[in-house]
Amino acid sequence: MGCCKNVIASLVCTAVLCGAGVAAYMYGPWNKDNDSGSEETTTTLTAKSSTCKNCCNGLESNCDLPIDQVTWAMVHNAMSSEDDLFYAANNDLSLEKALVEGYRGLMLDSCLCNGDTIVDVIQDFVTGNDEDTEENAEEQYLGFCHGTCGAGSRKPETVLNNIKTFLDVNPNEVLILEFEVGEGTLELLYEAINDSGLEKYVLRDEENDGTVTTWPTLQQLISSNRRLLLFAHNGGMESCETSTCPEGIFYTYDHFSQTNWNDGDTCELRSSVDTIPDKHGFFLMNHWKNDENLDLPSKTNAEEFNTYEFLSTRLGKCDERVPNIVAVDFWSTGDVLKFVEDQNTKIGGGGDAVVAASRSGSIRH
């Protein structure tokens, strides 16, 4: 849900240090269409929890919980992985592998791409050219990237089709997708979602006016087969309380409070307007911290942040409300899934439950 303070400058600095020749080899146009998820099948997308026929997102005790009282493990910048040849990636492994292992939330950024490579990005930065040529503008296409497509991008049709396959073969799993919408991509993103066939799984608000109070339980979503929640912000998405949102897509900040980016120590809210985390159904903990020098994803920080002890200590500092979404970088590092499973076991077994919001509204499921 966040971005680097100066993504392109950081990438350029790192690329120069590593050598433009290596960057050109790894991220040249011959790798433009490389997409690790393109070969995913129903077999490779079968969830680890698939043998539990009475489970909801991996646990039987989750089933009767409203979705805003379940703890969700979420992948920050999920499209960005070394698997998919992203430069300065947020994750080692692909988002498809994250779904199989047990993550049920994905953050995705939509971008307009024009075929540039990391070498083009460096050249444009050095020359001060940040404008698309008329020729490039005509060739623009939708991608999932972070900051610039030249540092890596994934084809939305591949990603969304693989997510659909995951839902097809795992009928007891519910997913949250949170989109940071790039400028000029909202309509293209909506079309890509519809073209993928995911529409049949999307949870829809009767009014979509941002006033949801009572969210369905996981079991209700599974029984109705509306097992996909879509949230989005930026790029023309505004509060559904004051504007008309695309059908099936909730405006993120109608329903989310979140902690600060690059903060591993507190539960302070990012927004100066939302001072009470209980105002919204979902409380997102941005549990990642970039490298302090380059402001790029740091696996070293993730190795500390993603440990059970670190997660437990940080959530213990959240006095007003315990976060119910934990977003991390380098998802395959550490104990995130075990920690979230234990949180949900405690909640479902009568432990400290996450407090739900109290607002008026209804959801069709």
Side-chain angles (χ1 to χ4, degrees):
M1 197 176 289
C3 61
C4 301
K5 289 176 287 189
N6 194 332
V7 174
I8 295 176
S10 299
L11 287 169
V12 170
C13 180
T14 305
V16 170
L17 291 173
C18 293
V22 175
Y25 171 74
M26 292 182 67
Y27 303 100
W30 44 87
N31 275 326
K32 172 184 172 185
D33 294 327
N34 195 324
D35 212 332
S36 74
S38 60
E39 300 301 321
E40 300 294 346
T41 65
T42 56
T43 300
T44 58
L45 284 168
T46 299
K48 295 287 186 182
S49 61
S50 62
T51 55
C52 181
K53 303 303 180 184
N54 296 319
C55 288
C56 302
N57 281 19
L59 291 172
E60 289 188 43
S61 57
N62 281 342
C63 293
D64 292 332
L65 293 175
I67 56 177
D68 61 336
Q69 292 185 19
V70 177
T71 305
W72 301 76
M74 180 172 278
V75 183
H76 176 232
N77 289 338
M79 66 283 158
S80 171
S81 74
E82 292 189 7
D83 261 359
D84 295 295
L85 301 181
F86 272 66
Y87 195 69
N90 290 83
N91 301 282
D92 289 326
L93 305 180
S94 70
L95 64 89
E96 288 86 357
K97 292 175 182 176
L99 291 176
V100 169
E101 292 299 320
Y103 282 82
R104 295 296 173 262
L106 303 174
M107 290 177 164
L108 298 167
D109 295 3
S110 61
C111 312
L112 283 178
C113 302
N114 59 14
D116 281 354
T117 67
I118 189 65
V119 177
D120 298 316
V121 174
I122 295 170
Q123 183 177 3
D124 288 344
F125 180 83
V126 171
T127 61
N129 176 25
D130 59 358
E131 299 292 333
D132 287 323
T133 65
E134 183 175 341
E135 179 181 354
N136 283 345
E138 292 177 356
E139 296 176 353
Q140 288 181 332
Y141 55 91
L142 182 68
F144 289 144
C145 81
H146 185 58
T148 171
C149 299
S153 68
R154 289 206 59 183
K155 298 177 183 177
E157 58 268 31
T158 299
V159 171
L160 297 174
N161 285 339
N162 286 340
I163 292 172
K164 179 180 179 295
T165 300
F166 179 84
L167 290 170
D168 289 343
V169 301
N170 299 286
N172 289 347
E173 306 300 324
V174 178
L175 304 182
I176 293 177
L177 303 184
E178 202 289 315
F179 294 100
E180 182 171 325
V181 183
E183 183 178 355
T185 66
L186 181 58
E187 185 175 344
L188 292 173
L189 176 62
Y190 190 67
E191 291 175 359
I193 292 169
N194 287 337
D195 290 345
S196 71
L198 279 171
E199 185 276 337
K200 71 177 185 177
Y201 290 122
V202 173
L203 176 66
R204 299 177 184 279
D205 180 4
E206 286 183 352
E207 303 297 336
N208 204 10
D209 60 0
T211 59
V212 175
T213 23
T214 306
W215 292 91
T217 66
L218 280 176
Q219 186 59 67
Q220 287 174 319
L221 295 186
I222 290 168
S223 297
S224 63
N225 210 24
R226 293 292 183 175
R227 297 181 288 116
L228 179 63
L229 286 80
L230 303 179
F231 296 91
H233 70 284
N234 288 359
M237 278 294 296
E238 299 178 358
S239 173
C240 302
E241 295 182 354
T242 57
S243 62
T244 301
C245 291
E247 186 179 3
I249 301 181
F250 298 98
Y251 177 64
T252 300
Y253 300 126
D254 284 341
H255 307 288
F256 278 63
S257 297
Q258 64 170 325
T259 64
N260 286 316
W261 304 336
N262 288 311
D263 177 5
D265 297 321
T266 75
C267 267
E268 293 180 3
L269 297 185
R270 178 166 177 76
S271 171
S272 59
V273 177
D274 295 333
T275 57
I276 304 174
D278 283 348
K279 178 180 178 181
H280 299 110
F282 298 94
F283 184 19
L284 166 68
M285 185 169 74
N286 289 304
H287 195 65
W288 46 268
K289 187 174 184 179
N290 288 344
D291 177 90
E292 291 184 358
N293 295 319
L294 295 173
D295 195 28
L296 291 174
S298 169
K299 187 171 182 179
T300 299
N301 287 338
E303 288 170 349
E304 178 184 13
F305 275 43
N306 294 0
T307 63
Y308 199 106
E309 181 180 3
F310 200 99
L311 285 159
S312 182
T313 298
R314 187 178 181 194
L315 262 73
K317 297 177 181 179
C318 301
D319 296 329
E320 293 189 64
R321 178 181 179 184
V322 177
N324 56 350
I325 300 180
V326 180
V328 298
D329 280 343
F330 298 97
W331 65 261
S332 55
T333 297
D335 312 307
V336 179
L337 289 174
K338 175 59 177 171
F339 178 81
V340 167
E341 180 182 8
D342 286 353
Q343 284 291 107
N344 282 325
T345 299
K346 288 190 292 185
I347 294 168
D352 294 333
V354 178
V355 180
S358 295
R359 304 171 70 199
S360 60
S362 59
I363 285 282
R364 181 170 74 242
H365 54 267

